[in-house]
Amino acid sequence: ARLKKPRSQSPYVDALHLLLEGRNDEALEWLKKTVKEDTENIMAYIKLGDIFREKGNPTRAAKIHNNLLVRANLSDQQTNTILQHLVLDYQNAGMLNKASEMAERLNQRMKRNPKIQQLLLSLYEEKGDWDKAFFIRQNINKWQKKQDQHILALYKVQSGLNAIQKGAEREGAADH
């Protein structure tokens, strides 16, 4: 597809305008052009990956975003932004272990950030990692001066059920 004449002097600015108009396919082409011309435009790569994720290709998005992390000259803010986008990529791809790994890295970098804590909690719940969910929810409750013992108790019950199930699986495997 040939690109129409740009509206501005910058393919990146044109891509952003197209994104705002909801014209993602055209924006994708301008973002590809942008990163060919300016390999240092981190945000263009991030947006490019986001479009792939939104178009149903989260593994390609993750590859683009992951490749950014190896760059030596990233600011802390850029690294944090990339990690946040990787969490979404992996979550959309159903790769919950990788998603929570990226969220944990982000949590190490941005300690005591309520949004990151909530993100981690939702990932642990989605994965069924009830012990980690219990720990994160306890921290969130302390910060928010909140009591939700019933949810914490449910996590413990769920964790116990998982342990019983794993034990039963081991016993079943030993019988064969």
Side-chain angles (χ1 to χ4, degrees), residues 9-42:
Q9 296 300 313
S10 163
Y12 181 61
V13 171
D14 291 333
L16 293 179
H17 283 291
L18 291 165
L19 281 173
L20 288 172
E21 294 170 13
R23 296 162 59 189
N24 289 3
D25 291 335
E26 292 169 80
L28 183 69
E29 295 307 316
W30 283 109
L31 287 168
K32 286 179 183 176
K33 184 173 172 31
T34 299
V35 298
K36 278 183 190 161
E37 291 176 7
D38 180 9
T39 59
E40 296 303 309
N41 189 331
I42 302 298

PDB file of all heavy atoms in Angstrom, residues 9-42:
ATOM      1  N   GLN A   9       5.585  17.283   8.560  1.00  0.00           N
ATOM      2  CA  GLN A   9       6.949  16.943   8.164  1.00  0.00           C
ATOM      3  C   GLN A   9       7.420  15.656   8.828  1.00  0.00           C
ATOM      4  O   GLN A   9       8.493  15.180   8.549  1.00  0.00           O
ATOM      5  CB  GLN A   9       7.896  18.100   8.542  1.00  0.00           C
ATOM      6  CG  GLN A   9       7.602  19.387   7.800  1.00  0.00           C
ATOM      7  CD  GLN A   9       7.721  19.206   6.290  1.00  0.00           C
ATOM      8  OE1 GLN A   9       8.679  18.645   5.796  1.00  0.00           O
ATOM      9  NE2 GLN A   9       6.720  19.678   5.569  1.00  0.00           N
ATOM     10  N   SER A  10       6.604  15.070   9.719  1.00  0.00           N
ATOM     11  CA  SER A  10       7.027  13.913  10.489  1.00  0.00           C
ATOM     12  C   SER A  10       6.076  12.742  10.302  1.00  0.00           C
ATOM     13  O   SER A  10       4.888  12.856  10.592  1.00  0.00           O
ATOM     14  CB  SER A  10       7.084  14.307  11.970  1.00  0.00           C
ATOM     15  OG  SER A  10       7.112  13.168  12.778  1.00  0.00           O
ATOM     16  N   PRO A  11       6.600  11.603   9.854  1.00  0.00           N
ATOM     17  CA  PRO A  11       5.732  10.423   9.749  1.00  0.00           C
ATOM     18  C   PRO A  11       5.156  10.021  11.111  1.00  0.00           C
ATOM     19  O   PRO A  11       4.038   9.515  11.187  1.00  0.00           O
ATOM     20  CB  PRO A  11       6.661   9.321   9.226  1.00  0.00           C
ATOM     21  CG  PRO A  11       7.890   9.988   8.747  1.00  0.00           C
ATOM     22  CD  PRO A  11       7.946  11.341   9.376  1.00  0.00           C
ATOM     23  N   TYR A  12       5.910  10.258  12.185  1.00  0.00           N
ATOM     24  CA  TYR A  12       5.441   9.907  13.524  1.00  0.00           C
ATOM     25  C   TYR A  12       4.221  10.746  13.903  1.00  0.00           C
ATOM     26  O   TYR A  12       3.230  10.223  14.411  1.00  0.00           O
ATOM     27  CB  TYR A  12       6.563  10.082  14.546  1.00  0.00           C
ATOM     28  CG  TYR A  12       6.156   9.712  15.953  1.00  0.00           C
ATOM     29  CD1 TYR A  12       5.751   8.421  16.263  1.00  0.00           C
ATOM     30  CD2 TYR A  12       6.163  10.656  16.978  1.00  0.00           C
ATOM     31  CE1 TYR A  12       5.368   8.063  17.553  1.00  0.00           C
ATOM     32  CE2 TYR A  12       5.789  10.311  18.267  1.00  0.00           C
ATOM     33  CZ  TYR A  12       5.385   9.014  18.547  1.00  0.00           C
ATOM     34  OH  TYR A  12       5.007   8.668  19.824  1.00  0.00           O
ATOM     35  N   VAL A  13       4.276  12.043  13.643  1.00  0.00           N
ATOM     36  CA  VAL A  13       3.137  12.926  13.937  1.00  0.00           C
ATOM     37  C   VAL A  13       1.932  12.502  13.105  1.00  0.00           C
ATOM     38  O   VAL A  13       0.805  12.429  13.599  1.00  0.00           O
ATOM     39  CB  VAL A  13       3.507  14.410  13.700  1.00  0.00           C
ATOM     40  CG1 VAL A  13       2.285  15.304  13.796  1.00  0.00           C
ATOM     41  CG2 VAL A  13       4.579  14.846  14.691  1.00  0.00           C
ATOM     42  N   ASP A  14       2.180  12.151  11.829  1.00  0.00           N
ATOM     43  CA  ASP A  14       1.086  11.674  10.982  1.00  0.00           C
ATOM     44  C   ASP A  14       0.474  10.397  11.552  1.00  0.00           C
ATOM     45  O   ASP A  14      -0.743  10.235  11.571  1.00  0.00           O
ATOM     46  CB  ASP A  14       1.585  11.412   9.557  1.00  0.00           C
ATOM     47  CG  ASP A  14       1.944  12.706   8.830  1.00  0.00           C
ATOM     48  OD1 ASP A  14       1.364  13.756   9.171  1.00  0.00           O
ATOM     49  OD2 ASP A  14       2.805  12.661   7.947  1.00  0.00           O
ATOM     50  N   ALA A  15       1.324   9.492  12.033  1.00  0.00           N
ATOM     51  CA  ALA A  15       0.844   8.240  12.619  1.00  0.00           C
ATOM     52  C   ALA A  15      -0.033   8.525  13.835  1.00  0.00           C
ATOM     53  O   ALA A  15      -1.082   7.893  14.013  1.00  0.00           O
ATOM     54  CB  ALA A  15       2.024   7.351  12.997  1.00  0.00           C
ATOM     55  N   LEU A  16       0.404   9.448  14.675  1.00  0.00           N
ATOM     56  CA  LEU A  16      -0.379   9.789  15.870  1.00  0.00           C
ATOM     57  C   LEU A  16      -1.742  10.359  15.490  1.00  0.00           C
ATOM     58  O   LEU A  16      -2.756  10.019  16.114  1.00  0.00           O
ATOM     59  CB  LEU A  16       0.387  10.771  16.755  1.00  0.00           C
ATOM     60  CG  LEU A  16       1.658  10.220  17.408  1.00  0.00           C
ATOM     61  CD1 LEU A  16       2.338  11.298  18.236  1.00  0.00           C
ATOM     62  CD2 LEU A  16       1.360   8.997  18.259  1.00  0.00           C
ATOM     63  N   HIS A  17      -1.771  11.216  14.465  1.00  0.00           N
ATOM     64  CA  HIS A  17      -3.052  11.761  13.993  1.00  0.00           C
ATOM     65  C   HIS A  17      -3.961  10.630  13.513  1.00  0.00           C
ATOM     66  O   HIS A  17      -5.154  10.612  13.830  1.00  0.00           O
ATOM     67  CB  HIS A  17      -2.843  12.777  12.865  1.00  0.00           C
ATOM     68  CG  HIS A  17      -2.369  14.112  13.329  1.00  0.00           C
ATOM     69  ND1 HIS A  17      -3.166  14.973  14.050  1.00  0.00           N
ATOM     70  CD2 HIS A  17      -1.181  14.741  13.173  1.00  0.00           C
ATOM     71  CE1 HIS A  17      -2.486  16.077  14.331  1.00  0.00           C
ATOM     72  NE2 HIS A  17      -1.273  15.955  13.808  1.00  0.00           N
ATOM     73  N   LEU A  18      -3.398   9.700  12.752  1.00  0.00           N
ATOM     74  CA  LEU A  18      -4.183   8.579  12.253  1.00  0.00           C
ATOM     75  C   LEU A  18      -4.696   7.710  13.394  1.00  0.00           C
ATOM     76  O   LEU A  18      -5.833   7.234  13.352  1.00  0.00           O
ATOM     77  CB  LEU A  18      -3.352   7.749  11.272  1.00  0.00           C
ATOM     78  CG  LEU A  18      -3.047   8.444   9.943  1.00  0.00           C
ATOM     79  CD1 LEU A  18      -1.945   7.718   9.192  1.00  0.00           C
ATOM     80  CD2 LEU A  18      -4.313   8.549   9.094  1.00  0.00           C
ATOM     81  N   LEU A  19      -3.863   7.501  14.414  1.00  0.00           N
ATOM     82  CA  LEU A  19      -4.304   6.736  15.581  1.00  0.00           C
ATOM     83  C   LEU A  19      -5.482   7.419  16.271  1.00  0.00           C
ATOM     84  O   LEU A  19      -6.444   6.758  16.670  1.00  0.00           O
ATOM     85  CB  LEU A  19      -3.154   6.559  16.581  1.00  0.00           C
ATOM     86  CG  LEU A  19      -2.126   5.486  16.251  1.00  0.00           C
ATOM     87  CD1 LEU A  19      -0.954   5.551  17.228  1.00  0.00           C
ATOM     88  CD2 LEU A  19      -2.761   4.109  16.281  1.00  0.00           C
ATOM     89  N   LEU A  20      -5.388   8.730  16.409  1.00  0.00           N
ATOM     90  CA  LEU A  20      -6.482   9.488  17.041  1.00  0.00           C
ATOM     91  C   LEU A  20      -7.776   9.365  16.249  1.00  0.00           C
ATOM     92  O   LEU A  20      -8.868   9.376  16.815  1.00  0.00           O
ATOM     93  CB  LEU A  20      -6.091  10.960  17.199  1.00  0.00           C
ATOM     94  CG  LEU A  20      -5.051  11.259  18.270  1.00  0.00           C
ATOM     95  CD1 LEU A  20      -4.614  12.713  18.188  1.00  0.00           C
ATOM     96  CD2 LEU A  20      -5.593  10.937  19.650  1.00  0.00           C
ATOM     97  N   GLU A  21      -7.653   9.238  14.929  1.00  0.00           N
ATOM     98  CA  GLU A  21      -8.826   9.102  14.064  1.00  0.00           C
ATOM     99  C   GLU A  21      -9.312   7.659  13.986  1.00  0.00           C
ATOM    100  O   GLU A  21     -10.288   7.365  13.301  1.00  0.00           O
ATOM    101  CB  GLU A  21      -8.496   9.619  12.656  1.00  0.00           C
ATOM    102  CG  GLU A  21      -8.236  11.111  12.609  1.00  0.00           C
ATOM    103  CD  GLU A  21      -7.679  11.573  11.260  1.00  0.00           C
ATOM    104  OE1 GLU A  21      -7.718  10.787  10.281  1.00  0.00           O
ATOM    105  OE2 GLU A  21      -7.211  12.717  11.187  1.00  0.00           O
ATOM    106  N   GLY A  22      -8.600   6.738  14.654  1.00  0.00           N
ATOM    107  CA  GLY A  22      -8.988   5.333  14.631  1.00  0.00           C
ATOM    108  C   GLY A  22      -8.582   4.608  13.366  1.00  0.00           C
ATOM    109  O   GLY A  22      -9.088   3.525  13.078  1.00  0.00           O
ATOM    110  N   ARG A  23      -7.680   5.177  12.618  1.00  0.00           N
ATOM    111  CA  ARG A  23      -7.231   4.582  11.350  1.00  0.00           C
ATOM    112  C   ARG A  23      -5.920   3.821  11.597  1.00  0.00           C
ATOM    113  O   ARG A  23      -4.856   4.210  11.135  1.00  0.00           O
ATOM    114  CB  ARG A  23      -7.090   5.676  10.295  1.00  0.00           C
ATOM    115  CG  ARG A  23      -8.429   6.313   9.972  1.00  0.00           C
ATOM    116  CD  ARG A  23      -8.342   7.652   9.294  1.00  0.00           C
ATOM    117  NE  ARG A  23      -7.615   7.609   8.027  1.00  0.00           N
ATOM    118  CZ  ARG A  23      -7.274   8.711   7.354  1.00  0.00           C
ATOM    119  NH1 ARG A  23      -7.608   9.899   7.818  1.00  0.00           N
ATOM    120  NH2 ARG A  23      -6.601   8.619   6.232  1.00  0.00           N
ATOM    121  N   ASN A  24      -6.035   2.720  12.334  1.00  0.00           N
ATOM    122  CA  ASN A  24      -4.864   1.995  12.814  1.00  0.00           C
ATOM    123  C   ASN A  24      -4.025   1.371  11.704  1.00  0.00           C
ATOM    124  O   ASN A  24      -2.804   1.306  11.822  1.00  0.00           O
ATOM    125  CB  ASN A  24      -5.280   0.929  13.819  1.00  0.00           C
ATOM    126  CG  ASN A  24      -5.733   1.527  15.130  1.00  0.00           C
ATOM    127  OD1 ASN A  24      -5.803   2.739  15.291  1.00  0.00           O
ATOM    128  ND2 ASN A  24      -6.069   0.677  16.065  1.00  0.00           N
ATOM    129  N   ASP A  25      -4.677   0.863  10.648  1.00  0.00           N
ATOM    130  CA  ASP A  25      -3.911   0.242   9.562  1.00  0.00           C
ATOM    131  C   ASP A  25      -2.989   1.253   8.888  1.00  0.00           C
ATOM    132  O   ASP A  25      -1.825   0.955   8.609  1.00  0.00           O
ATOM    133  CB  ASP A  25      -4.840  -0.403   8.534  1.00  0.00           C
ATOM    134  CG  ASP A  25      -5.554  -1.630   9.094  1.00  0.00           C
ATOM    135  OD1 ASP A  25      -5.017  -2.242  10.036  1.00  0.00           O
ATOM    136  OD2 ASP A  25      -6.636  -1.967   8.593  1.00  0.00           O
ATOM    137  N   GLU A  26      -3.508   2.448   8.656  1.00  0.00           N
ATOM    138  CA  GLU A  26      -2.674   3.497   8.051  1.00  0.00           C
ATOM    139  C   GLU A  26      -1.599   3.961   9.040  1.00  0.00           C
ATOM    140  O   GLU A  26      -0.455   4.184   8.654  1.00  0.00           O
ATOM    141  CB  GLU A  26      -3.546   4.684   7.623  1.00  0.00           C
ATOM    142  CG  GLU A  26      -4.475   4.364   6.476  1.00  0.00           C
ATOM    143  CD  GLU A  26      -5.493   5.460   6.260  1.00  0.00           C
ATOM    144  OE1 GLU A  26      -5.133   6.481   5.638  1.00  0.00           O
ATOM    145  OE2 GLU A  26      -6.633   5.301   6.744  1.00  0.00           O
ATOM    146  N   ALA A  27      -1.977   4.084  10.295  1.00  0.00           N
ATOM    147  CA  ALA A  27      -1.018   4.491  11.334  1.00  0.00           C
ATOM    148  C   ALA A  27       0.125   3.481  11.413  1.00  0.00           C
ATOM    149  O   ALA A  27       1.289   3.862  11.562  1.00  0.00           O
ATOM    150  CB  ALA A  27      -1.706   4.617  12.684  1.00  0.00           C
ATOM    151  N   LEU A  28      -0.207   2.205  11.267  1.00  0.00           N
ATOM    152  CA  LEU A  28       0.803   1.145  11.295  1.00  0.00           C
ATOM    153  C   LEU A  28       1.866   1.389  10.221  1.00  0.00           C
ATOM    154  O   LEU A  28       3.069   1.280  10.484  1.00  0.00           O
ATOM    155  CB  LEU A  28       0.122  -0.210  11.087  1.00  0.00           C
ATOM    156  CG  LEU A  28       0.994  -1.442  11.147  1.00  0.00           C
ATOM    157  CD1 LEU A  28       1.497  -1.674  12.564  1.00  0.00           C
ATOM    158  CD2 LEU A  28       0.211  -2.656  10.677  1.00  0.00           C
ATOM    159  N   GLU A  29       1.429   1.736   9.038  1.00  0.00           N
ATOM    160  CA  GLU A  29       2.374   1.984   7.938  1.00  0.00           C
ATOM    161  C   GLU A  29       3.275   3.186   8.238  1.00  0.00           C
ATOM    162  O   GLU A  29       4.477   3.145   7.988  1.00  0.00           O
ATOM    163  CB  GLU A  29       1.621   2.192   6.614  1.00  0.00           C
ATOM    164  CG  GLU A  29       0.866   0.953   6.142  1.00  0.00           C
ATOM    165  CD  GLU A  29       1.746  -0.295   6.073  1.00  0.00           C
ATOM    166  OE1 GLU A  29       2.880  -0.206   5.572  1.00  0.00           O
ATOM    167  OE2 GLU A  29       1.288  -1.353   6.552  1.00  0.00           O
ATOM    168  N   TRP A  30       2.682   4.245   8.790  1.00  0.00           N
ATOM    169  CA  TRP A  30       3.487   5.429   9.118  1.00  0.00           C
ATOM    170  C   TRP A  30       4.450   5.147  10.273  1.00  0.00           C
ATOM    171  O   TRP A  30       5.566   5.669  10.302  1.00  0.00           O
ATOM    172  CB  TRP A  30       2.597   6.631   9.441  1.00  0.00           C
ATOM    173  CG  TRP A  30       2.030   7.258   8.196  1.00  0.00           C
ATOM    174  CD1 TRP A  30       0.734   7.220   7.790  1.00  0.00           C
ATOM    175  CD2 TRP A  30       2.752   7.973   7.191  1.00  0.00           C
ATOM    176  NE1 TRP A  30       0.596   7.868   6.589  1.00  0.00           N
ATOM    177  CE2 TRP A  30       1.820   8.348   6.194  1.00  0.00           C
ATOM    178  CE3 TRP A  30       4.078   8.344   7.019  1.00  0.00           C
ATOM    179  CZ2 TRP A  30       2.181   9.062   5.063  1.00  0.00           C
ATOM    180  CZ3 TRP A  30       4.444   9.054   5.892  1.00  0.00           C
ATOM    181  CH2 TRP A  30       3.503   9.413   4.925  1.00  0.00           C
ATOM    182  N   LEU A  31       4.031   4.310  11.217  1.00  0.00           N
ATOM    183  CA  LEU A  31       4.935   3.953  12.322  1.00  0.00           C
ATOM    184  C   LEU A  31       6.103   3.106  11.818  1.00  0.00           C
ATOM    185  O   LEU A  31       7.245   3.283  12.261  1.00  0.00           O
ATOM    186  CB  LEU A  31       4.175   3.217  13.425  1.00  0.00           C
ATOM    187  CG  LEU A  31       3.256   4.095  14.263  1.00  0.00           C
ATOM    188  CD1 LEU A  31       2.338   3.241  15.134  1.00  0.00           C
ATOM    189  CD2 LEU A  31       4.054   5.065  15.123  1.00  0.00           C
ATOM    190  N   LYS A  32       5.824   2.209  10.868  1.00  0.00           N
ATOM    191  CA  LYS A  32       6.907   1.411  10.270  1.00  0.00           C
ATOM    192  C   LYS A  32       7.906   2.335   9.575  1.00  0.00           C
ATOM    193  O   LYS A  32       9.121   2.163   9.694  1.00  0.00           O
ATOM    194  CB  LYS A  32       6.351   0.397   9.266  1.00  0.00           C
ATOM    195  CG  LYS A  32       5.649  -0.775   9.904  1.00  0.00           C
ATOM    196  CD  LYS A  32       5.106  -1.698   8.819  1.00  0.00           C
ATOM    197  CE  LYS A  32       4.337  -2.860   9.370  1.00  0.00           C
ATOM    198  NZ  LYS A  32       3.733  -3.697   8.311  1.00  0.00           N
ATOM    199  N   LYS A  33       7.371   3.319   8.869  1.00  0.00           N
ATOM    200  CA  LYS A  33       8.230   4.300   8.192  1.00  0.00           C
ATOM    201  C   LYS A  33       9.043   5.086   9.218  1.00  0.00           C
ATOM    202  O   LYS A  33      10.242   5.317   9.037  1.00  0.00           O
ATOM    203  CB  LYS A  33       7.356   5.236   7.341  1.00  0.00           C
ATOM    204  CG  LYS A  33       8.103   6.240   6.497  1.00  0.00           C
ATOM    205  CD  LYS A  33       7.111   6.966   5.601  1.00  0.00           C
ATOM    206  CE  LYS A  33       7.645   8.123   4.819  1.00  0.00           C
ATOM    207  NZ  LYS A  33       8.994   8.131   4.397  1.00  0.00           N
ATOM    208  N   THR A  34       8.410   5.452  10.306  1.00  0.00           N
ATOM    209  CA  THR A  34       9.079   6.220  11.364  1.00  0.00           C
ATOM    210  C   THR A  34      10.269   5.456  11.930  1.00  0.00           C
ATOM    211  O   THR A  34      11.360   6.008  12.053  1.00  0.00           O
ATOM    212  CB  THR A  34       8.088   6.546  12.512  1.00  0.00           C
ATOM    213  OG1 THR A  34       7.021   7.334  11.980  1.00  0.00           O
ATOM    214  CG2 THR A  34       8.773   7.295  13.632  1.00  0.00           C
ATOM    215  N   VAL A  35      10.063   4.185  12.281  1.00  0.00           N
ATOM    216  CA  VAL A  35      11.146   3.441  12.919  1.00  0.00           C
ATOM    217  C   VAL A  35      12.267   3.097  11.945  1.00  0.00           C
ATOM    218  O   VAL A  35      13.411   2.892  12.365  1.00  0.00           O
ATOM    219  CB  VAL A  35      10.643   2.174  13.674  1.00  0.00           C
ATOM    220  CG1 VAL A  35       9.700   2.581  14.808  1.00  0.00           C
ATOM    221  CG2 VAL A  35       9.997   1.179  12.751  1.00  0.00           C
ATOM    222  N   LYS A  36      11.948   3.058  10.651  1.00  0.00           N
ATOM    223  CA  LYS A  36      13.016   2.872   9.653  1.00  0.00           C
ATOM    224  C   LYS A  36      13.900   4.111   9.593  1.00  0.00           C
ATOM    225  O   LYS A  36      15.112   4.019   9.470  1.00  0.00           O
ATOM    226  CB  LYS A  36      12.429   2.594   8.263  1.00  0.00           C
ATOM    227  CG  LYS A  36      12.037   1.162   8.041  1.00  0.00           C
ATOM    228  CD  LYS A  36      11.527   0.945   6.638  1.00  0.00           C
ATOM    229  CE  LYS A  36      10.914  -0.442   6.521  1.00  0.00           C
ATOM    230  NZ  LYS A  36      10.025  -0.559   5.384  1.00  0.00           N
ATOM    231  N   GLU A  37      13.258   5.277   9.661  1.00  0.00           N
ATOM    232  CA  GLU A  37      13.991   6.541   9.549  1.00  0.00           C
ATOM    233  C   GLU A  37      14.643   6.964  10.862  1.00  0.00           C
ATOM    234  O   GLU A  37      15.654   7.630  10.866  1.00  0.00           O
ATOM    235  CB  GLU A  37      13.041   7.656   9.078  1.00  0.00           C
ATOM    236  CG  GLU A  37      12.574   7.488   7.659  1.00  0.00           C
ATOM    237  CD  GLU A  37      11.556   8.545   7.249  1.00  0.00           C
ATOM    238  OE1 GLU A  37      11.305   9.493   8.032  1.00  0.00           O
ATOM    239  OE2 GLU A  37      11.006   8.423   6.147  1.00  0.00           O
ATOM    240  N   ASP A  38      14.015   6.598  11.991  1.00  0.00           N
ATOM    241  CA  ASP A  38      14.504   7.044  13.302  1.00  0.00           C
ATOM    242  C   ASP A  38      14.445   5.882  14.291  1.00  0.00           C
ATOM    243  O   ASP A  38      13.449   5.695  14.986  1.00  0.00           O
ATOM    244  CB  ASP A  38      13.653   8.219  13.794  1.00  0.00           C
ATOM    245  CG  ASP A  38      14.080   8.745  15.152  1.00  0.00           C
ATOM    246  OD1 ASP A  38      15.141   8.317  15.654  1.00  0.00           O
ATOM    247  OD2 ASP A  38      13.355   9.577  15.716  1.00  0.00           O
ATOM    248  N   THR A  39      15.516   5.111  14.348  1.00  0.00           N
ATOM    249  CA  THR A  39      15.538   3.918  15.208  1.00  0.00           C
ATOM    250  C   THR A  39      15.568   4.267  16.694  1.00  0.00           C
ATOM    251  O   THR A  39      15.427   3.399  17.529  1.00  0.00           O
ATOM    252  CB  THR A  39      16.753   3.022  14.871  1.00  0.00           C
ATOM    253  OG1 THR A  39      17.936   3.781  15.063  1.00  0.00           O
ATOM    254  CG2 THR A  39      16.670   2.490  13.460  1.00  0.00           C
ATOM    255  N   GLU A  40      15.757   5.542  17.023  1.00  0.00           N
ATOM    256  CA  GLU A  40      15.784   5.963  18.431  1.00  0.00           C
ATOM    257  C   GLU A  40      14.412   6.397  18.953  1.00  0.00           C
ATOM    258  O   GLU A  40      14.279   6.740  20.115  1.00  0.00           O
ATOM    259  CB  GLU A  40      16.781   7.120  18.615  1.00  0.00           C
ATOM    260  CG  GLU A  40      18.225   6.740  18.309  1.00  0.00           C
ATOM    261  CD  GLU A  40      18.711   5.558  19.150  1.00  0.00           C
ATOM    262  OE1 GLU A  40      18.548   5.604  20.385  1.00  0.00           O
ATOM    263  OE2 GLU A  40      19.226   4.597  18.574  1.00  0.00           O
ATOM    264  N   ASN A  41      13.393   6.377  18.100  1.00  0.00           N
ATOM    265  CA  ASN A  41      12.054   6.805  18.518  1.00  0.00           C
ATOM    266  C   ASN A  41      11.370   5.652  19.260  1.00  0.00           C
ATOM    267  O   ASN A  41      10.636   4.859  18.677  1.00  0.00           O
ATOM    268  CB  ASN A  41      11.234   7.259  17.311  1.00  0.00           C
ATOM    269  CG  ASN A  41       9.941   7.918  17.716  1.00  0.00           C
ATOM    270  OD1 ASN A  41       9.372   7.605  18.762  1.00  0.00           O
ATOM    271  ND2 ASN A  41       9.469   8.833  16.896  1.00  0.00           N
ATOM    272  N   ILE A  42      11.636   5.573  20.550  1.00  0.00           N
ATOM    273  CA  ILE A  42      11.127   4.491  21.400  1.00  0.00           C
ATOM    274  C   ILE A  42       9.595   4.455  21.391  1.00  0.00           C
ATOM    275  O   ILE A  42       8.983   3.390  21.286  1.00  0.00           O
ATOM    276  CB  ILE A  42      11.655   4.634  22.857  1.00  0.00           C
ATOM    277  CG1 ILE A  42      13.184   4.637  22.894  1.00  0.00           C
ATOM    278  CG2 ILE A  42      11.074   3.553  23.765  1.00  0.00           C
ATOM    279  CD1 ILE A  42      13.853   3.389  22.401  1.00  0.00           C
TER     280      ILE A  42
END
